Protein backbone atom coordinates (compact mmCIF):
# COMPACT_ATOMS: atom_id res chain seq x y z
CA UNK A 1 0.00 0.00 0.00
CA UNK A 2 1.32 3.45 -0.79
CA UNK A 3 1.40 6.36 1.63
CA UNK A 4 -1.93 8.14 2.10
CA UNK A 5 -2.31 11.91 1.83
CA UNK A 6 -3.92 13.13 5.03
CA UNK A 7 -5.67 16.41 5.68
CA UNK A 8 -7.90 17.79 8.42
CA UNK A 9 -10.96 16.24 6.75
CA UNK A 10 -9.72 12.63 6.80
CA UNK A 11 -7.32 12.80 9.78
CA UNK A 12 -9.77 11.33 12.29
CA UNK A 13 -10.65 8.38 10.07
CA UNK A 14 -7.17 7.64 8.68
CA UNK A 15 -5.05 8.28 11.79
CA UNK A 16 -7.03 8.42 15.01
CA UNK A 17 -9.37 5.53 14.16
CA UNK A 18 -6.58 3.31 12.81
CA UNK A 19 -6.06 0.00 14.61
CA UNK A 20 -2.39 -0.26 13.66
CA UNK A 21 0.63 2.04 14.17
CA UNK A 22 0.67 5.14 11.96
CA UNK A 23 3.77 6.87 10.59
CA UNK A 24 3.05 10.53 9.83
CA UNK A 25 5.42 12.30 7.45
CA UNK A 26 5.10 16.07 7.76
CA UNK A 27 6.76 17.75 4.80
CA UNK A 28 6.37 20.04 1.79
CA UNK A 29 7.18 19.87 -1.90
CA UNK A 30 9.54 22.86 -1.64
CA UNK A 31 11.65 21.20 1.11
CA UNK A 32 14.67 19.37 -0.35
CA UNK A 33 15.11 17.16 2.75
CA UNK A 34 11.41 16.22 2.63
CA UNK A 35 11.71 15.30 -1.04
CA UNK A 36 14.85 13.27 -0.22
CA UNK A 37 13.12 11.05 2.37
CA UNK A 38 9.87 10.65 0.43
CA UNK A 39 11.08 7.58 -1.52
CA UNK A 40 12.10 5.96 1.77
CA UNK A 41 8.70 6.70 3.32
CA UNK A 42 6.94 5.31 0.23
CA UNK A 43 9.15 2.20 0.33
CA UNK A 44 8.24 1.59 3.96
CA UNK A 45 4.56 1.99 3.08
CA UNK A 46 4.90 -0.69 0.39
CA UNK A 47 6.94 -3.09 2.52
CA UNK A 48 5.10 -2.84 5.85
CA UNK A 49 1.40 -3.74 5.65
CA UNK A 50 1.37 -3.85 9.46
CA UNK A 51 1.60 -0.04 9.65
CA UNK A 52 -0.19 2.83 7.94
CA UNK A 53 1.97 5.54 6.39
CA UNK A 54 0.49 9.00 5.94
CA UNK A 55 1.87 12.17 4.35
CA UNK A 56 0.85 15.64 5.52
CA UNK A 57 1.77 18.70 3.45
CA UNK A 58 2.43 21.44 6.00
CA UNK A 59 1.89 24.17 3.41
CA UNK A 60 -1.69 23.01 2.94
CA UNK A 61 -2.39 21.63 6.42
CA UNK A 62 -1.06 24.27 8.80
CA UNK A 63 -3.70 23.37 11.37
CA UNK A 64 -2.43 19.77 11.63
CA UNK A 65 1.18 20.94 11.70
CA UNK A 66 0.35 23.26 14.60
CA UNK A 67 -1.53 20.49 16.42
CA UNK A 68 1.64 18.38 16.36
CA UNK A 69 3.92 21.36 17.13
CA UNK A 70 5.82 20.88 13.86
CA UNK A 71 8.36 23.70 13.72
CA UNK A 72 10.84 22.14 11.26
CA UNK A 73 10.43 19.68 8.43
CA UNK A 74 10.71 16.92 7.60
CA UNK A 75 9.10 15.75 10.82
CA UNK A 76 8.13 12.14 11.44
CA UNK A 77 5.64 11.09 14.09
CA UNK A 78 4.61 7.56 15.07
CA UNK A 79 1.20 7.14 16.65
CA UNK A 80 -0.31 4.06 18.30
CA UNK A 81 -3.86 3.99 19.64
CA UNK A 82 -4.21 7.72 18.92
CA UNK A 83 -1.14 8.68 20.99
CA UNK A 84 2.30 9.88 19.93
CA UNK A 85 4.89 7.23 20.77
CA UNK A 86 7.92 8.67 18.96
CA UNK A 87 8.88 11.61 16.80
CA UNK A 88 11.90 13.09 15.11
CA UNK A 89 12.87 16.05 12.95
CA UNK A 90 15.23 16.11 10.01
CA UNK A 91 16.31 13.75 7.30
CA UNK A 92 16.38 10.14 8.54
CA UNK A 93 17.69 6.92 7.05
CA UNK A 94 15.40 3.96 6.46
CA UNK A 95 16.86 2.12 9.44
CA UNK A 96 16.33 5.16 11.68
CA UNK A 97 12.71 5.43 10.59
CA UNK A 98 12.10 1.71 11.08
CA UNK A 99 13.63 1.93 14.57
CA UNK A 100 10.95 4.50 15.46
CA UNK A 101 8.26 1.95 14.70
Amino acid sequence: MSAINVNKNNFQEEVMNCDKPVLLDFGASWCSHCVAILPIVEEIAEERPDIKVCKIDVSEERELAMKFHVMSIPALVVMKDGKIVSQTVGEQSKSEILAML
Side-chain angles (χ1 to χ4, degrees), residues 22-56:
V22 180
L23 172 64
L24 300 173
D25 173 18
F26 289 88
S29 60
W30 48 262
C31 166
S32 62
H33 294 289
C34 301
V35 172
I37 70 164
L38 190 55
I40 297 169
V41 170
E42 289 286 356
E43 190 175 301
I44 292 170
E46 292 293 331
E47 293 175 352
R48 295 285 304 267
D50 59 317
I51 63 167
K52 182 182 275 189
V53 179
C54 300
K55 300 181 292 188
I56 301 173

PDB file of all heavy atoms in Angstrom, residues 22-56:
ATOM      1  N   VAL A  22       0.707   4.198  13.084  1.00  0.00           N
ATOM      2  CA  VAL A  22       0.667   5.140  11.959  1.00  0.00           C
ATOM      3  C   VAL A  22       1.947   5.967  11.950  1.00  0.00           C
ATOM      4  O   VAL A  22       2.325   6.546  12.970  1.00  0.00           O
ATOM      5  CB  VAL A  22      -0.551   6.085  12.060  1.00  0.00           C
ATOM      6  CG1 VAL A  22      -0.590   7.050  10.888  1.00  0.00           C
ATOM      7  CG2 VAL A  22      -1.853   5.298  12.149  1.00  0.00           C
ATOM      8  N   LEU A  23       2.604   6.004  10.793  1.00  0.00           N
ATOM      9  CA  LEU A  23       3.766   6.868  10.592  1.00  0.00           C
ATOM     10  C   LEU A  23       3.288   8.101   9.842  1.00  0.00           C
ATOM     11  O   LEU A  23       2.782   8.002   8.727  1.00  0.00           O
ATOM     12  CB  LEU A  23       4.847   6.156   9.785  1.00  0.00           C
ATOM     13  CG  LEU A  23       6.046   7.007   9.346  1.00  0.00           C
ATOM     14  CD1 LEU A  23       6.838   7.522  10.550  1.00  0.00           C
ATOM     15  CD2 LEU A  23       6.948   6.214   8.411  1.00  0.00           C
ATOM     16  N   LEU A  24       3.421   9.266  10.464  1.00  0.00           N
ATOM     17  CA  LEU A  24       3.052  10.533   9.834  1.00  0.00           C
ATOM     18  C   LEU A  24       4.308  11.222   9.334  1.00  0.00           C
ATOM     19  O   LEU A  24       5.255  11.424  10.091  1.00  0.00           O
ATOM     20  CB  LEU A  24       2.344  11.456  10.839  1.00  0.00           C
ATOM     21  CG  LEU A  24       1.051  10.944  11.456  1.00  0.00           C
ATOM     22  CD1 LEU A  24       0.583  11.912  12.539  1.00  0.00           C
ATOM     23  CD2 LEU A  24      -0.012  10.769  10.401  1.00  0.00           C
ATOM     24  N   ASP A  25       4.300  11.584   8.069  1.00  0.00           N
ATOM     25  CA  ASP A  25       5.421  12.296   7.447  1.00  0.00           C
ATOM     26  C   ASP A  25       4.962  13.709   7.149  1.00  0.00           C
ATOM     27  O   ASP A  25       4.186  13.943   6.224  1.00  0.00           O
ATOM     28  CB  ASP A  25       5.835  11.564   6.160  1.00  0.00           C
ATOM     29  CG  ASP A  25       6.888  12.315   5.355  1.00  0.00           C
ATOM     30  OD1 ASP A  25       7.554  13.216   5.921  1.00  0.00           O
ATOM     31  OD2 ASP A  25       7.041  12.007   4.164  1.00  0.00           O
ATOM     32  N   PHE A  26       5.407  14.658   7.976  1.00  0.00           N
ATOM     33  CA  PHE A  26       5.100  16.073   7.762  1.00  0.00           C
ATOM     34  C   PHE A  26       6.179  16.655   6.866  1.00  0.00           C
ATOM     35  O   PHE A  26       7.366  16.606   7.211  1.00  0.00           O
ATOM     36  CB  PHE A  26       5.093  16.834   9.090  1.00  0.00           C
ATOM     37  CG  PHE A  26       3.925  16.519   9.981  1.00  0.00           C
ATOM     38  CD1 PHE A  26       3.982  15.466  10.877  1.00  0.00           C
ATOM     39  CD2 PHE A  26       2.772  17.278   9.908  1.00  0.00           C
ATOM     40  CE1 PHE A  26       2.911  15.174  11.704  1.00  0.00           C
ATOM     41  CE2 PHE A  26       1.694  17.001  10.736  1.00  0.00           C
ATOM     42  CZ  PHE A  26       1.764  15.944  11.633  1.00  0.00           C
ATOM     43  N   GLY A  27       5.786  17.203   5.728  1.00  0.00           N
ATOM     44  CA  GLY A  27       6.758  17.752   4.796  1.00  0.00           C
ATOM     45  C   GLY A  27       6.112  18.746   3.850  1.00  0.00           C
ATOM     46  O   GLY A  27       4.970  19.167   4.043  1.00  0.00           O
ATOM     47  N   ALA A  28       6.860  19.114   2.814  1.00  0.00           N
ATOM     48  CA  ALA A  28       6.373  20.040   1.792  1.00  0.00           C
ATOM     49  C   ALA A  28       7.169  19.817   0.513  1.00  0.00           C
ATOM     50  O   ALA A  28       8.331  19.398   0.563  1.00  0.00           O
ATOM     51  CB  ALA A  28       6.527  21.484   2.256  1.00  0.00           C
ATOM     52  N   SER A  29       6.543  20.097  -0.604  1.00  0.00           N
ATOM     53  CA  SER A  29       7.183  19.871  -1.903  1.00  0.00           C
ATOM     54  C   SER A  29       8.389  20.777  -2.132  1.00  0.00           C
ATOM     55  O   SER A  29       9.284  20.443  -2.895  1.00  0.00           O
ATOM     56  CB  SER A  29       6.162  20.056  -3.029  1.00  0.00           C
ATOM     57  OG  SER A  29       5.643  21.360  -2.993  1.00  0.00           O
ATOM     58  N   TRP A  30       8.442  21.915  -1.455  1.00  0.00           N
ATOM     59  CA  TRP A  30       9.544  22.864  -1.635  1.00  0.00           C
ATOM     60  C   TRP A  30      10.741  22.561  -0.723  1.00  0.00           C
ATOM     61  O   TRP A  30      11.783  23.204  -0.811  1.00  0.00           O
ATOM     62  CB  TRP A  30       9.061  24.293  -1.389  1.00  0.00           C
ATOM     63  CG  TRP A  30       8.268  24.450  -0.124  1.00  0.00           C
ATOM     64  CD1 TRP A  30       6.902  24.465  -0.023  1.00  0.00           C
ATOM     65  CD2 TRP A  30       8.768  24.609   1.207  1.00  0.00           C
ATOM     66  NE1 TRP A  30       6.534  24.607   1.299  1.00  0.00           N
ATOM     67  CE2 TRP A  30       7.652  24.706   2.068  1.00  0.00           C
ATOM     68  CE3 TRP A  30      10.043  24.667   1.763  1.00  0.00           C
ATOM     69  CZ2 TRP A  30       7.773  24.857   3.443  1.00  0.00           C
ATOM     70  CZ3 TRP A  30      10.171  24.815   3.135  1.00  0.00           C
ATOM     71  CH2 TRP A  30       9.043  24.922   3.951  1.00  0.00           C
ATOM     72  N   CYS A  31      10.601  21.549   0.143  1.00  0.00           N
ATOM     73  CA  CYS A  31      11.647  21.195   1.113  1.00  0.00           C
ATOM     74  C   CYS A  31      12.516  20.078   0.552  1.00  0.00           C
ATOM     75  O   CYS A  31      12.045  18.957   0.360  1.00  0.00           O
ATOM     76  CB  CYS A  31      10.978  20.767   2.420  1.00  0.00           C
ATOM     77  SG  CYS A  31      12.059  19.923   3.587  1.00  0.00           S
ATOM     78  N   SER A  32      13.778  20.361   0.277  1.00  0.00           N
ATOM     79  CA  SER A  32      14.666  19.366  -0.346  1.00  0.00           C
ATOM     80  C   SER A  32      14.862  18.132   0.538  1.00  0.00           C
ATOM     81  O   SER A  32      14.938  17.013   0.037  1.00  0.00           O
ATOM     82  CB  SER A  32      16.011  19.989  -0.706  1.00  0.00           C
ATOM     83  OG  SER A  32      16.678  20.447   0.454  1.00  0.00           O
ATOM     84  N   HIS A  33      14.940  18.310   1.849  1.00  0.00           N
ATOM     85  CA  HIS A  33      15.111  17.165   2.748  1.00  0.00           C
ATOM     86  C   HIS A  33      13.836  16.308   2.778  1.00  0.00           C
ATOM     87  O   HIS A  33      13.917  15.084   2.888  1.00  0.00           O
ATOM     88  CB  HIS A  33      15.485  17.618   4.158  1.00  0.00           C
ATOM     89  CG  HIS A  33      16.822  18.273   4.225  1.00  0.00           C
ATOM     90  ND1 HIS A  33      18.003  17.579   4.069  1.00  0.00           N
ATOM     91  CD2 HIS A  33      17.174  19.570   4.401  1.00  0.00           C
ATOM     92  CE1 HIS A  33      19.025  18.422   4.158  1.00  0.00           C
ATOM     93  NE2 HIS A  33      18.542  19.630   4.360  1.00  0.00           N
ATOM     94  N   CYS A  34      12.688  16.956   2.674  1.00  0.00           N
ATOM     95  CA  CYS A  34      11.414  16.220   2.628  1.00  0.00           C
ATOM     96  C   CYS A  34      11.333  15.391   1.357  1.00  0.00           C
ATOM     97  O   CYS A  34      10.927  14.223   1.391  1.00  0.00           O
ATOM     98  CB  CYS A  34      10.235  17.192   2.665  1.00  0.00           C
ATOM     99  SG  CYS A  34      10.199  18.237   4.129  1.00  0.00           S
ATOM    100  N   VAL A  35      11.719  15.989   0.246  1.00  0.00           N
ATOM    101  CA  VAL A  35      11.713  15.302  -1.041  1.00  0.00           C
ATOM    102  C   VAL A  35      12.705  14.138  -1.006  1.00  0.00           C
ATOM    103  O   VAL A  35      12.441  13.065  -1.558  1.00  0.00           O
ATOM    104  CB  VAL A  35      12.029  16.288  -2.189  1.00  0.00           C
ATOM    105  CG1 VAL A  35      12.211  15.557  -3.503  1.00  0.00           C
ATOM    106  CG2 VAL A  35      10.924  17.333  -2.305  1.00  0.00           C
ATOM    107  N   ALA A  36      13.814  14.314  -0.303  1.00  0.00           N
ATOM    108  CA  ALA A  36      14.846  13.271  -0.223  1.00  0.00           C
ATOM    109  C   ALA A  36      14.360  12.040   0.537  1.00  0.00           C
ATOM    110  O   ALA A  36      14.701  10.913   0.167  1.00  0.00           O
ATOM    111  CB  ALA A  36      16.113  13.825   0.424  1.00  0.00           C
ATOM    112  N   ILE A  37      13.568  12.218   1.596  1.00  0.00           N
ATOM    113  CA  ILE A  37      13.122  11.051   2.365  1.00  0.00           C
ATOM    114  C   ILE A  37      11.815  10.445   1.832  1.00  0.00           C
ATOM    115  O   ILE A  37      11.456   9.341   2.218  1.00  0.00           O
ATOM    116  CB  ILE A  37      12.998  11.333   3.879  1.00  0.00           C
ATOM    117  CG1 ILE A  37      11.833  12.261   4.189  1.00  0.00           C
ATOM    118  CG2 ILE A  37      14.292  11.820   4.460  1.00  0.00           C
ATOM    119  CD1 ILE A  37      11.431  12.249   5.659  1.00  0.00           C
ATOM    120  N   LEU A  38      11.145  11.153   0.948  1.00  0.00           N
ATOM    121  CA  LEU A  38       9.873  10.651   0.429  1.00  0.00           C
ATOM    122  C   LEU A  38       9.970   9.253  -0.182  1.00  0.00           C
ATOM    123  O   LEU A  38       9.126   8.393   0.122  1.00  0.00           O
ATOM    124  CB  LEU A  38       9.253  11.646  -0.547  1.00  0.00           C
ATOM    125  CG  LEU A  38       7.830  11.350  -0.985  1.00  0.00           C
ATOM    126  CD1 LEU A  38       6.892  11.202   0.209  1.00  0.00           C
ATOM    127  CD2 LEU A  38       7.328  12.444  -1.914  1.00  0.00           C
ATOM    128  N   PRO A  39      10.988   8.956  -0.999  1.00  0.00           N
ATOM    129  CA  PRO A  39      11.080   7.583  -1.524  1.00  0.00           C
ATOM    130  C   PRO A  39      11.247   6.526  -0.429  1.00  0.00           C
ATOM    131  O   PRO A  39      10.722   5.416  -0.544  1.00  0.00           O
ATOM    132  CB  PRO A  39      12.319   7.624  -2.427  1.00  0.00           C
ATOM    133  CG  PRO A  39      12.512   9.059  -2.759  1.00  0.00           C
ATOM    134  CD  PRO A  39      12.007   9.826  -1.572  1.00  0.00           C
ATOM    135  N   ILE A  40      11.932   6.879   0.642  1.00  0.00           N
ATOM    136  CA  ILE A  40      12.098   5.955   1.770  1.00  0.00           C
ATOM    137  C   ILE A  40      10.756   5.720   2.453  1.00  0.00           C
ATOM    138  O   ILE A  40      10.390   4.586   2.761  1.00  0.00           O
ATOM    139  CB  ILE A  40      13.136   6.503   2.782  1.00  0.00           C
ATOM    140  CG1 ILE A  40      14.504   6.621   2.118  1.00  0.00           C
ATOM    141  CG2 ILE A  40      13.189   5.626   4.032  1.00  0.00           C
ATOM    142  CD1 ILE A  40      15.517   7.389   2.942  1.00  0.00           C
ATOM    143  N   VAL A  41      10.021   6.795   2.675  1.00  0.00           N
ATOM    144  CA  VAL A  41       8.703   6.702   3.316  1.00  0.00           C
ATOM    145  C   VAL A  41       7.763   5.861   2.457  1.00  0.00           C
ATOM    146  O   VAL A  41       7.051   4.986   2.962  1.00  0.00           O
ATOM    147  CB  VAL A  41       8.132   8.116   3.581  1.00  0.00           C
ATOM    148  CG1 VAL A  41       6.675   8.057   4.020  1.00  0.00           C
ATOM    149  CG2 VAL A  41       8.977   8.841   4.626  1.00  0.00           C
ATOM    150  N   GLU A  42       7.779   6.091   1.148  1.00  0.00           N
ATOM    151  CA  GLU A  42       6.936   5.310   0.228  1.00  0.00           C
ATOM    152  C   GLU A  42       7.348   3.834   0.227  1.00  0.00           C
ATOM    153  O   GLU A  42       6.500   2.945   0.190  1.00  0.00           O
ATOM    154  CB  GLU A  42       7.012   5.879  -1.187  1.00  0.00           C
ATOM    155  CG  GLU A  42       6.320   7.208  -1.367  1.00  0.00           C
ATOM    156  CD  GLU A  42       4.790   7.117  -1.381  1.00  0.00           C
ATOM    157  OE1 GLU A  42       4.234   6.003  -1.325  1.00  0.00           O
ATOM    158  OE2 GLU A  42       4.153   8.172  -1.445  1.00  0.00           O
ATOM    159  N   GLU A  43       8.642   3.577   0.289  1.00  0.00           N
ATOM    160  CA  GLU A  43       9.151   2.200   0.328  1.00  0.00           C
ATOM    161  C   GLU A  43       8.673   1.483   1.584  1.00  0.00           C
ATOM    162  O   GLU A  43       8.240   0.319   1.527  1.00  0.00           O
ATOM    163  CB  GLU A  43      10.684   2.242   0.280  1.00  0.00           C
ATOM    164  CG  GLU A  43      11.336   0.911   0.074  1.00  0.00           C
ATOM    165  CD  GLU A  43      12.845   1.055  -0.090  1.00  0.00           C
ATOM    166  OE1 GLU A  43      13.281   1.762  -1.031  1.00  0.00           O
ATOM    167  OE2 GLU A  43      13.568   0.474   0.728  1.00  0.00           O
ATOM    168  N   ILE A  44       8.719   2.162   2.706  1.00  0.00           N
ATOM    169  CA  ILE A  44       8.244   1.587   3.962  1.00  0.00           C
ATOM    170  C   ILE A  44       6.748   1.291   3.860  1.00  0.00           C
ATOM    171  O   ILE A  44       6.277   0.241   4.302  1.00  0.00           O
ATOM    172  CB  ILE A  44       8.565   2.518   5.153  1.00  0.00           C
ATOM    173  CG1 ILE A  44      10.080   2.563   5.391  1.00  0.00           C
ATOM    174  CG2 ILE A  44       7.824   2.062   6.414  1.00  0.00           C
ATOM    175  CD1 ILE A  44      10.538   3.623   6.367  1.00  0.00           C
ATOM    176  N   ALA A  45       6.000   2.198   3.250  1.00  0.00           N
ATOM    177  CA  ALA A  45       4.555   1.993   3.079  1.00  0.00           C
ATOM    178  C   ALA A  45       4.276   0.730   2.268  1.00  0.00           C
ATOM    179  O   ALA A  45       3.352  -0.031   2.582  1.00  0.00           O
ATOM    180  CB  ALA A  45       3.928   3.210   2.407  1.00  0.00           C
ATOM    181  N   GLU A  46       5.081   0.495   1.239  1.00  0.00           N
ATOM    182  CA  GLU A  46       4.899  -0.688   0.391  1.00  0.00           C
ATOM    183  C   GLU A  46       5.319  -1.976   1.096  1.00  0.00           C
ATOM    184  O   GLU A  46       4.687  -3.012   0.926  1.00  0.00           O
ATOM    185  CB  GLU A  46       5.718  -0.540  -0.903  1.00  0.00           C
ATOM    186  CG  GLU A  46       5.217   0.539  -1.837  1.00  0.00           C
ATOM    187  CD  GLU A  46       3.864   0.237  -2.452  1.00  0.00           C
ATOM    188  OE1 GLU A  46       3.532  -0.955  -2.632  1.00  0.00           O
ATOM    189  OE2 GLU A  46       3.129   1.191  -2.735  1.00  0.00           O
ATOM    190  N   GLU A  47       6.365  -1.897   1.898  1.00  0.00           N
ATOM    191  CA  GLU A  47       6.942  -3.091   2.524  1.00  0.00           C
ATOM    192  C   GLU A  47       6.279  -3.507   3.835  1.00  0.00           C
ATOM    193  O   GLU A  47       6.407  -4.645   4.251  1.00  0.00           O
ATOM    194  CB  GLU A  47       8.432  -2.866   2.801  1.00  0.00           C
ATOM    195  CG  GLU A  47       9.275  -2.741   1.563  1.00  0.00           C
ATOM    196  CD  GLU A  47      10.727  -2.396   1.882  1.00  0.00           C
ATOM    197  OE1 GLU A  47      11.054  -2.106   3.053  1.00  0.00           O
ATOM    198  OE2 GLU A  47      11.534  -2.400   0.937  1.00  0.00           O
ATOM    199  N   ARG A  48       5.613  -2.562   4.499  1.00  0.00           N
ATOM    200  CA  ARG A  48       5.103  -2.837   5.848  1.00  0.00           C
ATOM    201  C   ARG A  48       3.574  -2.716   5.915  1.00  0.00           C
ATOM    202  O   ARG A  48       3.039  -1.679   6.301  1.00  0.00           O
ATOM    203  CB  ARG A  48       5.731  -1.862   6.849  1.00  0.00           C
ATOM    204  CG  ARG A  48       7.236  -1.980   7.042  1.00  0.00           C
ATOM    205  CD  ARG A  48       7.613  -3.196   7.864  1.00  0.00           C
ATOM    206  NE  ARG A  48       6.970  -3.247   9.163  1.00  0.00           N
ATOM    207  CZ  ARG A  48       7.496  -2.774  10.288  1.00  0.00           C
ATOM    208  NH1 ARG A  48       8.680  -2.222  10.282  1.00  0.00           N
ATOM    209  NH2 ARG A  48       6.831  -2.871  11.422  1.00  0.00           N
ATOM    210  N   PRO A  49       2.861  -3.783   5.571  1.00  0.00           N
ATOM    211  CA  PRO A  49       1.400  -3.735   5.652  1.00  0.00           C
ATOM    212  C   PRO A  49       0.878  -3.661   7.091  1.00  0.00           C
ATOM    213  O   PRO A  49      -0.297  -3.391   7.308  1.00  0.00           O
ATOM    214  CB  PRO A  49       0.960  -5.037   4.968  1.00  0.00           C
ATOM    215  CG  PRO A  49       2.123  -5.949   5.111  1.00  0.00           C
ATOM    216  CD  PRO A  49       3.350  -5.074   5.094  1.00  0.00           C
ATOM    217  N   ASP A  50       1.767  -3.887   8.057  1.00  0.00           N
ATOM    218  CA  ASP A  50       1.372  -3.853   9.462  1.00  0.00           C
ATOM    219  C   ASP A  50       1.305  -2.438  10.030  1.00  0.00           C
ATOM    220  O   ASP A  50       0.888  -2.236  11.170  1.00  0.00           O
ATOM    221  CB  ASP A  50       2.331  -4.698  10.310  1.00  0.00           C
ATOM    222  CG  ASP A  50       3.779  -4.224  10.205  1.00  0.00           C
ATOM    223  OD1 ASP A  50       4.231  -3.916   9.080  1.00  0.00           O
ATOM    224  OD2 ASP A  50       4.458  -4.168  11.247  1.00  0.00           O
ATOM    225  N   ILE A  51       1.708  -1.442   9.220  1.00  0.00           N
ATOM    226  CA  ILE A  51       1.596  -0.044   9.647  1.00  0.00           C
ATOM    227  C   ILE A  51       0.911   0.760   8.544  1.00  0.00           C
ATOM    228  O   ILE A  51       0.858   0.339   7.398  1.00  0.00           O
ATOM    229  CB  ILE A  51       2.968   0.595   9.969  1.00  0.00           C
ATOM    230  CG1 ILE A  51       3.856   0.631   8.719  1.00  0.00           C
ATOM    231  CG2 ILE A  51       3.649  -0.102  11.112  1.00  0.00           C
ATOM    232  CD1 ILE A  51       5.062   1.502   8.866  1.00  0.00           C
ATOM    233  N   LYS A  52       0.377   1.914   8.923  1.00  0.00           N
ATOM    234  CA  LYS A  52      -0.194   2.830   7.942  1.00  0.00           C
ATOM    235  C   LYS A  52       0.761   4.017   7.839  1.00  0.00           C
ATOM    236  O   LYS A  52       1.217   4.546   8.853  1.00  0.00           O
ATOM    237  CB  LYS A  52      -1.572   3.317   8.377  1.00  0.00           C
ATOM    238  CG  LYS A  52      -2.216   4.245   7.345  1.00  0.00           C
ATOM    239  CD  LYS A  52      -3.558   4.762   7.798  1.00  0.00           C
ATOM    240  CE  LYS A  52      -4.619   3.754   7.447  1.00  0.00           C
ATOM    241  NZ  LYS A  52      -5.978   4.300   7.664  1.00  0.00           N
ATOM    242  N   VAL A  53       1.074   4.408   6.620  1.00  0.00           N
ATOM    243  CA  VAL A  53       1.971   5.538   6.389  1.00  0.00           C
ATOM    244  C   VAL A  53       1.160   6.678   5.771  1.00  0.00           C
ATOM    245  O   VAL A  53       0.460   6.479   4.776  1.00  0.00           O
ATOM    246  CB  VAL A  53       3.137   5.136   5.458  1.00  0.00           C
ATOM    247  CG1 VAL A  53       4.048   6.330   5.208  1.00  0.00           C
ATOM    248  CG2 VAL A  53       3.936   3.978   6.063  1.00  0.00           C
ATOM    249  N   CYS A  54       1.261   7.840   6.379  1.00  0.00           N
ATOM    250  CA  CYS A  54       0.492   9.001   5.938  1.00  0.00           C
ATOM    251  C   CYS A  54       1.419  10.192   5.711  1.00  0.00           C
ATOM    252  O   CYS A  54       2.364  10.406   6.467  1.00  0.00           O
ATOM    253  CB  CYS A  54      -0.549   9.386   6.982  1.00  0.00           C
ATOM    254  SG  CYS A  54      -1.746   8.081   7.334  1.00  0.00           S
ATOM    255  N   LYS A  55       1.112  10.959   4.664  1.00  0.00           N
ATOM    256  CA  LYS A  55       1.869  12.171   4.352  1.00  0.00           C
ATOM    257  C   LYS A  55       0.980  13.380   4.627  1.00  0.00           C
ATOM    258  O   LYS A  55      -0.205  13.369   4.276  1.00  0.00           O
ATOM    259  CB  LYS A  55       2.291  12.186   2.886  1.00  0.00           C
ATOM    260  CG  LYS A  55       3.178  11.029   2.480  1.00  0.00           C
ATOM    261  CD  LYS A  55       3.591  11.118   1.031  1.00  0.00           C
ATOM    262  CE  LYS A  55       2.387  10.897   0.126  1.00  0.00           C
ATOM    263  NZ  LYS A  55       2.719  10.783  -1.292  1.00  0.00           N
ATOM    264  N   ILE A  56       1.572  14.397   5.242  1.00  0.00           N
ATOM    265  CA  ILE A  56       0.852  15.635   5.522  1.00  0.00           C
ATOM    266  C   ILE A  56       1.677  16.792   4.976  1.00  0.00           C
ATOM    267  O   ILE A  56       2.818  16.999   5.395  1.00  0.00           O
ATOM    268  CB  ILE A  56       0.597  15.813   7.034  1.00  0.00           C
ATOM    269  CG1 ILE A  56      -0.231  14.631   7.563  1.00  0.00           C
ATOM    270  CG2 ILE A  56      -0.088  17.147   7.302  1.00  0.00           C
ATOM    271  CD1 ILE A  56      -0.408  14.607   9.053  1.00  0.00           C
TER     272      ILE A  56
END
